[in-house]
Amino acid sequence: MERLLVLVRHGQSEWNLKNLFTGWKNPDLTEKGIEEAKAGGRALKAKGITFDVAYTSDLIRAQHTCDLLLEELGQPDLPTIRDQALNERDYGDLAGLNKDDARKKWGDEQVHIWRRSFDVPPPGGESLKDTGARVLPYYMTDILPRVMAGEKVLVAAHGNSLRSLVMILEKLDTVQILKREIATGQPMIFRLKADTTVDSSEMLTG
């Protein structure tokens, strides 16, 4: 039995383009982001992959990416579950700020710590550890059981919410995960063993 899990980070958003901290703010995709999502769908189609169910976050950029992927696969009506458990990390007081302006306000070193430490949250926001604390229980109770039952599952979400999953799937420690970049619009294919660990993985480029 195949146990297939595909993770996709949303395509470039309007705020990615403007170099703004986004978090739970809700900008849509840019034209480039739309094309990245479509290219991801085409790459999956070329591999002959289709899905039984999709999961996405409560934010439009991930939902739009999911819709575009499924359209490319000819599955626009696939059952899709939206949940804020899969939302991007909440950047709190940084959300909406230009990253360069944030560095001027708080200093390069402090902003770097907020962005790249595992367990230090920005003011009013979440650390990667905090993000994992809501993503992983949802994965264990809602997503993983369907994968283990043989359903082919797509998750279209965000850099940090997916990083929380990749940390577990790839058995990365708290230092390694911070260096693990997740490209926009490029599907990550994981095939799982019966014990829920990874049997094989592959990154697709559009």
Side-chain angles (χ1 to χ4, degrees):
M1 179 176 68
E2 186 176 43
R3 305 175 187 90
L4 183 76
L5 172 66
V6 175
L7 309 180
V8 185
R9 181 184 176 190
H10 65 79
Q12 183 192 64
S13 76
E14 293 161 351
W15 283 22
N16 292 148
L17 181 62
K18 294 176 181 176
N19 199 34
L20 305 179
F21 286 101
T22 311
W24 284 37
K25 301 293 186 180
N26 210 14
D28 202 349
L29 301 178
T30 61
E31 286 301 316
K32 179 182 177 184
I34 290 169
E35 185 47 46
E36 285 176 334
K38 289 180 177 179
R42 289 193 294 270
L44 287 167
K45 187 173 184 178
K47 294 282 288 187
I49 292 174
T50 56
F51 296 100
D52 297 303
V53 65
Y55 288 85
T56 189
S57 77
D58 207 29
L59 299 169
I60 190 68
R61 58 193 184 276
Q63 295 171 9
H64 196 177
T65 296
C66 188
D67 291 344
L68 291 166
L69 279 166
L70 294 175
E71 284 173 19
E72 290 293 331
L73 291 170
Q75 294 189 280
D77 299 320
L78 189 78
T80 300
I81 299 160
R82 299 173 176 178
D83 199 289
Q84 71 176 26
L86 295 173
N87 277 16
E88 176 59 297
R89 172 185 170 190
D90 184 351
Y91 275 105
D93 292 354
L94 299 184
L97 289 180
N98 183 284
K99 292 173 184 176
D100 292 331
D101 291 341
R103 292 185 189 99
K104 289 174 188 171
K105 182 172 181 178
W106 285 288
D108 287 357
E109 185 175 352
Q110 183 62 67
V111 172
H112 182 76
I113 289 169
W114 287 332
R115 292 189 71 193
R116 289 304 180 196
S117 68
F118 180 69
D119 56 3
V120 180
E126 294 178 310
S127 65
L128 184 57
K129 182 179 180 181
D130 296 330
T131 307
R134 62 175 161 80
V135 174
L136 294 175
Y138 185 73
Y139 171 71
M140 296 298 291
T141 59
D142 289 69
I143 298 173
L144 184 60
R146 299 186 76 155
V147 177
M148 300 310 293
E151 292 187 65
K152 291 174 284 188
V153 178
L154 170 67
V155 179
H158 307 265
N160 285 298
S161 53
L162 293 179
R163 207 177 251 136
S164 300
L165 295 180
V166 167
M167 184 176 180
I168 300 303
L169 291 165
E170 297 184 356
K171 298 181 178 178
L172 303 178
D173 63 30
T174 57
V175 175
Q176 291 169 322
I177 191 56
L178 298 173
K179 299 173 183 175
R180 178 68 163 84
E181 293 297 331
I182 297 177
T184 51
Q186 294 184 4
M188 296 176 285
I189 301 171
F190 293 93
R191 289 182 169 85
L192 305 186
K193 299 177 185 176
D195 65 358
T196 77
T197 60
V198 175
D199 186 32
S200 67
S201 63
E202 179 182 3
M203 169 78 82
L204 296 185
T205 55

